[in-house]
């Protein structure tokens, strides 16, 4: 970094004073806390983290020194909650990312759906392209079913997140359809749940030796990932699995779900 771009000694000193002030405010908020999830404590924590990060950067730029502070990553925390104390309405925002891993499988499954809707093989149509096939499949199946059966459709699952946000009142019919995501305010998030492969590293190694390793697999069944399984046959298999699961939700008969990489976060209310 050039000398002209370096912060002045006064700027470093001011940043240090800001850390001291933030420390005092954080301690005062902790001493006055009204409960475990007091938003005032949360906000004071964020202000202290920001002040410490600013000081650390200026100190390094000016003196080539660092502090012992470890600033938590932004993705590990929600911003301070500023919504209503009691939500009169809520919105659930979901994002799921996929990669088109097997375009031919995607096209084949979409063509089957189109043929079933048309009463027989219809040749060309909306399932001829990847965009058209996606429209057919997402128009036919609910998003949760796509998520649970994404491999059948040639998709590879990426990160996903679900936000539950508070509203002062319920929206009027059609009010937000023209811009459905413009009002997604992180400060109104009551809780959120993230699923990502990056969380898998945080799991205990013992999970590899858990019930998942004991799942029964029929050795006589030849599973070929390149063969497209008819949707009606998959439905029959699902029905048999459900009928055979007598242990109830969460029992040994349940399949391993996406919760392995799930990280919940809740706002301080």
């Amino acid at each position: 970094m050039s000398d002209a771009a370096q912060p002045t000694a006064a700027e470093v000193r001011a940043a240090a004073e800001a850390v001291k002030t933030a420390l005092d405010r954080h301690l005062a908020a902790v001493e006055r806390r009204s409960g475990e999830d007091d938003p005032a404590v949360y906000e004071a924590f964020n202000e202290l983290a920001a002040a410490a990060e600013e000081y650390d950067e200026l100190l390094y730029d000016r003196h080539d020194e660092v502090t012992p502070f470890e600033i938590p990553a932004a993705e590990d925390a929600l911003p301070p909650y500023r919504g209503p104390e009691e939500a009169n309405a809520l919105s659930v925002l979901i994002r799921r990312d996929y990669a088109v891993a097997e375009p031919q499988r995607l096209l084949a499954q979409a063509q089957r759906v189109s043929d079933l809707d048309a009463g027989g093989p219809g040749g060309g149509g909306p399932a001829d392209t990847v965009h058209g096939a996606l429209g057919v499949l997402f128009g036919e199946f609910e998003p949760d079913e796509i998520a649970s059966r994404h491999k059948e459709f040639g998709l590879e699952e990426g990160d996903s997140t679900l936000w539950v946000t508070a509203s002062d009142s319920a929206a009027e019919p059609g009010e937000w359809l023209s811009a459905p995501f413009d009002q997604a305010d992180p400060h109104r998030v009551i809780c959120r749940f993230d699923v990502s492969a990056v969380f898998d590293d945080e799991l205990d190694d013992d999970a590899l030796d858990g019930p998942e390793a004991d799942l029964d697999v029929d050795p006589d069944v030849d599973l070929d990932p390149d063969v497209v399984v008819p949707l009606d046959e998959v439905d029959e298999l699902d029905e048999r699995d459900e009928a055979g699961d007598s242990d109830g939700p969460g029992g040994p008969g349940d399949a391993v779900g996406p919760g392995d990489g799930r990280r919940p976060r809740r706002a301080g209310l």
Side-chain angles (χ1 to χ4, degrees):
M1 179 178 292
S2 65
D3 293 339
Q6 285 186 344
T8 65
E11 289 174 330
V12 179
R13 173 62 60 182
E17 294 298 327
V19 172
K20 298 175 186 178
T21 301
L23 278 169
D24 289 338
R25 290 177 177 173
H26 181 260
L27 177 58
V30 170
E31 292 173 338
R32 298 193 305 266
R33 71 188 313 162
S34 58
E36 182 178 354
D37 296 323
D38 191 331
V41 174
Y42 194 95
E43 186 169 359
F45 171 87
N46 286 340
E47 291 176 355
L48 176 57
E53 184 174 22
E54 176 71 10
Y55 172 63
D56 189 86
E57 292 179 356
L58 293 178
L59 184 70
Y60 180 81
D61 291 343
R62 177 69 184 183
H63 300 291
D64 199 24
E65 291 289 343
V66 295
T67 67
F69 305 142
E70 182 178 353
I71 309 303
E75 62 268 17
D76 290 338
L78 288 171
Y81 178 76
R82 295 173 182 166
E85 292 186 8
E86 297 291 337
N88 296 314
L90 59 88
S91 296
V92 179
L93 310 176
I94 301 175
R95 172 174 174 170
R96 291 185 175 126
D97 283 3
Y98 299 96
V100 181
E102 300 179 74
Q104 293 307 314
R105 182 185 290 269
L106 173 71
L107 294 169
Q109 295 287 33
Q111 189 61 57
R112 284 184 55 81
V113 173
S114 295
D115 292 345
L116 289 173
D117 290 343
D128 284 347
T129 65
V130 169
H131 284 185
L134 290 171
V136 169
L137 293 176
F138 278 89
E140 179 72 16
F141 301 102
E142 293 291 332
D144 286 344
E145 187 167 3
I146 295 285
S148 64
R149 298 167 59 175
H150 61 277
K151 291 183 179 179
E152 298 173 36
F153 305 128
L155 302 176
E156 182 178 317
E157 202 171 29
D159 291 352
S160 66
T161 186
L162 181 150
W163 293 15
V164 179
T165 64
S167 303
D168 296 313
S169 60
E172 295 295 328
E175 178 180 339
W176 49 258
L177 291 180
S178 60
F181 302 109
D182 284 0
Q183 297 179 352
D185 185 355
H187 293 282
R188 284 180 170 258
V189 173
I190 299 173
C191 58
R192 64 179 284 181
F193 301 90
D194 302 327
V195 178
S196 175
V198 299
F199 302 149
D200 292 343
D201 295 336
E202 302 173 6
L203 298 175
D204 294 334
D205 293 337
D206 294 341
L208 297 176
D209 301 324
E212 297 87 342
D214 299 328
L215 292 177
D216 295 331
V217 177
D218 189 346
D220 297 327
V221 176
D222 184 15
L223 299 178
D224 188 345
D226 295 326
V227 175
V228 177
V229 180
L231 298 179
D232 51 356
E233 293 182 13
V234 173
D235 291 337
E236 292 175 4
L237 290 173
D238 290 342
E239 291 173 1
R240 290 204 296 269
D241 289 342
E242 291 175 1
D245 182 11
S246 59
D247 301 302
D254 288 342
V256 179
D260 286 341
R262 188 178 178 92
R263 171 177 290 180
R265 299 183 232 169
R266 289 178 173 81
L269 299 180

